[in-house]
Amino acid sequence: MNLQVLPLAVTMMAGPQIMSAIVLVTAERPVRVSAAFLVGVIVATTVGVSIAGGVAALLGGAVAIDGESHEASTLGKVIQIVLIGLLVLAAVKSYLGRKTAEPPRWLGALLSATPATALKTGLLVILAMPSDILVMLTVGMNLQHNKSGLSGAIPFIAATALIAALPLLLYLVLRKRAITAMPKVRDWMNTRSWLVNIIVCGIFIGLVATGG
Protein backbone atom coordinates (compact mmCIF):
# COMPACT_ATOMS: atom_id res chain seq x y z
CA MET A 1 0.00 0.00 0.00
CA ASN A 2 1.21 3.50 -0.87
CA LEU A 3 2.17 5.10 2.45
CA GLN A 4 1.02 8.49 1.09
CA VAL A 5 -2.49 7.27 1.84
CA LEU A 6 -1.79 7.18 5.59
CA PRO A 7 -2.44 10.94 6.09
CA LEU A 8 -6.00 10.20 4.99
CA ALA A 9 -6.46 8.63 8.42
CA VAL A 10 -6.34 12.18 9.82
CA THR A 11 -9.19 13.16 7.51
CA MET A 12 -11.12 10.06 8.54
CA MET A 13 -11.29 11.25 12.14
CA ALA A 14 -11.32 15.03 11.67
CA GLY A 15 -14.65 16.70 12.45
CA PRO A 16 -17.58 15.01 14.23
CA GLN A 17 -15.56 11.79 14.48
CA ILE A 18 -12.84 13.09 16.79
CA MET A 19 -15.37 15.36 18.49
CA SER A 20 -17.38 12.23 19.37
CA ALA A 21 -14.28 10.61 20.85
CA ILE A 22 -13.59 13.70 22.96
CA VAL A 23 -17.19 13.98 24.17
CA LEU A 24 -17.23 10.30 25.20
CA VAL A 25 -14.13 10.82 27.34
CA THR A 26 -16.13 13.40 29.29
CA ALA A 27 -19.14 11.07 29.64
CA GLU A 28 -20.26 9.27 32.80
CA ARG A 29 -18.40 6.02 32.02
CA PRO A 30 -15.57 7.27 29.81
CA VAL A 31 -13.46 4.11 29.50
CA ARG A 32 -16.30 1.71 28.66
CA VAL A 33 -18.05 3.98 26.17
CA SER A 34 -14.79 5.13 24.56
CA ALA A 35 -13.65 1.52 24.12
CA ALA A 36 -16.99 0.65 22.51
CA PHE A 37 -16.69 3.67 20.21
CA LEU A 38 -13.18 2.59 19.20
CA VAL A 39 -14.41 -0.92 18.35
CA GLY A 40 -17.11 0.63 16.17
CA VAL A 41 -14.58 2.79 14.34
CA ILE A 42 -12.26 -0.15 13.68
CA VAL A 43 -15.07 -2.41 12.45
CA ALA A 44 -16.58 0.32 10.26
CA THR A 45 -13.21 1.26 8.74
CA THR A 46 -12.34 -2.37 8.01
CA VAL A 47 -15.72 -3.06 6.43
CA GLY A 48 -15.68 0.21 4.50
CA VAL A 49 -12.20 -0.35 3.07
CA SER A 50 -13.13 -3.93 2.14
CA ILE A 51 -16.18 -2.72 0.22
CA ALA A 52 -14.20 0.12 -1.37
CA GLY A 53 -11.53 -2.35 -2.47
CA GLY A 54 -14.20 -4.51 -4.06
CA VAL A 55 -15.70 -1.53 -5.89
CA ALA A 56 -12.24 -0.48 -7.13
CA ALA A 57 -11.58 -4.04 -8.33
CA LEU A 58 -14.83 -4.03 -10.32
CA LEU A 59 -14.09 -0.66 -11.88
CA GLY A 60 -10.47 -1.53 -12.60
CA GLY A 61 -8.01 1.18 -13.51
CA ALA A 62 -10.62 3.39 -15.13
CA VAL A 63 -10.91 5.57 -12.05
CA ALA A 64 -7.31 5.51 -10.85
CA ILE A 65 -6.40 8.87 -9.34
CA ASP A 66 -3.48 7.76 -7.19
CA GLY A 67 -0.91 9.96 -8.93
CA GLU A 68 1.56 7.14 -9.60
CA SER A 69 0.08 6.20 -12.94
CA HIS A 70 1.91 7.89 -15.81
CA GLU A 71 -1.27 7.94 -17.87
CA ALA A 72 -4.08 8.76 -15.48
CA SER A 73 -7.44 8.16 -17.08
CA THR A 74 -9.65 11.02 -18.19
CA LEU A 75 -12.40 9.72 -15.91
CA GLY A 76 -9.98 9.72 -13.01
CA LYS A 77 -9.04 13.34 -13.66
CA VAL A 78 -12.69 14.33 -13.89
CA ILE A 79 -13.43 12.63 -10.55
CA GLN A 80 -10.45 14.40 -9.03
CA ILE A 81 -11.64 17.82 -10.26
CA VAL A 82 -15.22 17.17 -9.13
CA LEU A 83 -14.04 16.10 -5.65
CA ILE A 84 -11.93 19.22 -5.26
CA GLY A 85 -14.79 21.42 -6.49
CA LEU A 86 -17.25 19.88 -4.02
CA LEU A 87 -14.78 20.25 -1.16
CA VAL A 88 -14.13 23.91 -2.01
CA LEU A 89 -17.88 24.57 -2.06
CA ALA A 90 -18.25 22.79 1.31
CA ALA A 91 -15.45 24.92 2.79
CA VAL A 92 -16.99 28.13 1.47
CA LYS A 93 -20.42 27.11 2.81
CA SER A 94 -18.92 26.44 6.25
CA TYR A 95 -17.21 29.83 6.28
CA LEU A 96 -20.31 31.75 5.19
CA GLY A 97 -22.41 30.00 7.82
CA ARG A 98 -19.86 30.35 10.61
CA LYS A 99 -21.97 32.80 12.66
CA THR A 100 -24.91 30.41 12.90
CA ALA A 101 -22.99 27.12 12.83
CA GLU A 102 -23.83 24.66 15.57
CA PRO A 103 -22.49 21.18 16.32
CA PRO A 104 -24.83 18.24 15.64
CA ARG A 105 -27.36 17.75 18.42
CA TRP A 106 -26.45 14.08 18.78
CA LEU A 107 -23.00 15.06 20.05
CA GLY A 108 -24.55 16.43 23.23
CA ALA A 109 -26.50 13.21 23.72
CA LEU A 110 -23.21 11.28 23.87
CA LEU A 111 -22.58 12.67 27.36
CA SER A 112 -25.03 10.05 28.66
CA ALA A 113 -24.21 7.38 26.07
CA THR A 114 -24.20 3.67 26.87
CA PRO A 115 -21.57 1.32 25.41
CA ALA A 116 -24.15 0.16 22.84
CA THR A 117 -24.82 3.76 21.79
CA ALA A 118 -21.10 4.48 21.60
CA LEU A 119 -20.55 1.40 19.44
CA LYS A 120 -23.32 2.47 17.09
CA THR A 121 -21.87 5.98 16.95
CA GLY A 122 -18.44 4.60 16.05
CA LEU A 123 -19.97 2.70 13.16
CA LEU A 124 -22.07 5.59 11.88
CA VAL A 125 -19.46 8.37 12.08
CA ILE A 126 -17.40 6.33 9.62
CA LEU A 127 -19.91 4.59 7.37
CA ALA A 128 -22.44 7.45 7.18
CA MET A 129 -20.01 10.34 6.61
CA PRO A 130 -19.57 11.33 2.92
CA SER A 131 -16.00 12.50 3.54
CA ASP A 132 -15.04 9.15 5.08
CA ILE A 133 -16.67 7.26 2.23
CA LEU A 134 -14.54 9.24 -0.22
CA VAL A 135 -11.43 8.53 1.84
CA MET A 136 -12.13 4.80 1.91
CA LEU A 137 -12.78 4.77 -1.83
CA THR A 138 -9.41 6.47 -2.33
CA VAL A 139 -7.77 3.80 -0.16
CA GLY A 140 -9.59 1.08 -2.10
CA MET A 141 -8.29 2.50 -5.39
CA ASN A 142 -4.80 2.60 -3.96
CA LEU A 143 -5.05 -1.04 -2.90
CA GLN A 144 -6.28 -2.00 -6.35
CA HIS A 145 -3.49 -0.08 -8.09
CA ASN A 146 -0.85 -1.77 -5.92
CA LYS A 147 -2.61 -5.14 -6.25
CA SER A 148 -2.87 -5.48 -2.48
CA GLY A 149 -5.50 -7.29 -0.50
CA LEU A 150 -7.16 -6.08 2.70
CA SER A 151 -3.93 -6.80 4.56
CA GLY A 152 -2.38 -3.92 2.63
CA ALA A 153 -4.82 -1.56 4.35
CA ILE A 154 -3.73 -2.56 7.87
CA PRO A 155 -1.43 0.51 8.29
CA PHE A 156 -4.31 2.81 7.30
CA ILE A 157 -6.81 1.07 9.58
CA ALA A 158 -4.29 1.10 12.44
CA ALA A 159 -3.56 4.82 11.94
CA THR A 160 -7.29 5.60 11.95
CA ALA A 161 -7.76 3.55 15.13
CA LEU A 162 -4.83 5.30 16.83
CA ILE A 163 -6.25 8.74 16.10
CA ALA A 164 -9.68 7.62 17.32
CA ALA A 165 -8.08 6.31 20.52
CA LEU A 166 -6.05 9.45 21.30
CA PRO A 167 -8.64 11.07 23.63
CA LEU A 168 -9.00 7.80 25.58
CA LEU A 169 -5.22 7.29 25.74
CA LEU A 170 -4.73 10.84 27.02
CA TYR A 171 -7.43 10.24 29.61
CA LEU A 172 -5.78 7.02 30.80
CA VAL A 173 -2.29 8.54 30.93
CA LEU A 174 -3.05 12.01 32.26
CA ARG A 175 -6.31 11.28 34.04
CA LYS A 176 -6.73 14.39 36.27
CA ARG A 177 -5.33 16.78 33.68
CA ALA A 178 -7.41 15.17 30.97
CA ILE A 179 -10.57 15.45 33.06
CA THR A 180 -9.95 19.20 33.24
CA ALA A 181 -8.69 19.72 29.69
CA MET A 182 -11.04 17.54 27.61
CA PRO A 183 -14.25 19.49 28.37
CA LYS A 184 -12.44 22.68 27.32
CA VAL A 185 -11.29 21.05 24.08
CA ARG A 186 -14.82 19.75 23.52
CA ASP A 187 -16.36 23.18 24.02
CA TRP A 188 -13.74 24.83 21.78
CA MET A 189 -14.46 22.41 18.94
CA ASN A 190 -18.21 22.75 19.44
CA THR A 191 -18.10 26.54 19.11
CA ARG A 192 -15.75 26.35 16.11
CA SER A 193 -17.27 23.44 14.23
CA TRP A 194 -17.24 25.56 11.05
CA LEU A 195 -13.46 25.96 11.32
CA VAL A 196 -13.00 22.22 11.88
CA ASN A 197 -15.00 21.57 8.70
CA ILE A 198 -12.83 23.97 6.71
CA ILE A 199 -9.65 22.34 8.00
CA VAL A 200 -10.97 18.90 7.05
CA CYS A 201 -11.84 20.12 3.55
CA GLY A 202 -8.42 21.74 3.21
CA ILE A 203 -6.59 18.56 4.21
CA PHE A 204 -8.62 16.43 1.82
CA ILE A 205 -8.23 18.93 -1.05
CA GLY A 206 -4.47 18.80 -0.61
CA LEU A 207 -4.45 15.01 -0.56
CA VAL A 208 -6.67 14.69 -3.63
CA ALA A 209 -4.79 17.37 -5.56
CA THR A 210 -1.45 15.65 -4.96
CA GLY A 211 -2.86 12.25 -5.77
CA GLY A 212 -3.02 11.16 -2.04
Side-chain angles (χ1 to χ4, degrees):
M1 180 177 178
N2 187 344
L3 293 180
Q4 289 181 336
V5 173
L6 290 180
L8 287 171
V10 176
T11 309
M12 282 285 286
M13 288 304 300
Q17 297 87 339
I18 194 64
M19 290 173 67
S20 297
I22 292 173
V23 169
L24 288 171
V25 168
T26 64
E28 297 175 358
R29 293 176 290 178
V31 176
R32 291 182 62 186
V33 295
S34 294
F37 173 79
L38 182 59
V39 170
V41 168
I42 294 173
V43 171
T45 304
T46 303
V47 171
V49 170
S50 299
I51 295 174
V55 172
L58 291 175
L59 294 177
V63 295
I65 58 173
D66 59 3
E68 289 190 355
S69 175
H70 294 294
E71 297 179 356
S73 68
T74 300
L75 179 57
K77 291 180 180 179
V78 170
I79 292 175
Q80 192 174 26
I81 293 172
V82 170
L83 283 177
I84 292 175
L86 290 174
L87 289 164
V88 169
L89 288 175
V92 171
K93 181 179 179 181
S94 294
Y95 178 76
L96 294 177
R98 64 190 184 282
K99 293 183 178 180
T100 57
E102 294 183 357
R105 292 183 179 179
W106 54 266
L107 278 176
L110 292 182
L111 288 172
S112 57
T114 63
T117 300
L119 175 64
K120 181 179 178 181
T121 301
L123 294 170
L124 292 178
V125 294
I126 299 297
L127 295 177
M129 291 291 177
S131 60
D132 284 356
I133 292 173
L134 291 176
V135 169
M136 290 186 288
L137 284 173
T138 302
V139 173
M141 292 175 192
N142 183 277
L143 292 173
Q144 174 63 19
H145 175 76
N146 290 285
K147 298 180 180 179
S148 301
L150 181 60
S151 60
I154 290 177
F156 169 76
I157 296 172
T160 301
L162 176 60
I163 296 171
L166 283 178
L168 176 59
L169 292 175
L170 290 173
Y171 173 83
L172 293 174
V173 173
L174 301 177
R175 194 58 69 102
K176 291 182 178 180
R177 292 183 180 179
I179 292 174
T180 302
M182 285 300 177
K184 295 179 180 179
V185 174
R186 177 196 65 202
D187 295 340
W188 186 91
M189 295 187 73
N190 281 341
T191 56
R192 293 168 178 80
S193 57
W194 62 273
L195 179 58
V196 174
N197 290 335
I198 292 176
I199 292 173
V200 171
C201 290
I203 293 173
F204 200 48
I205 287 172
L207 292 169
V208 173
T210 56

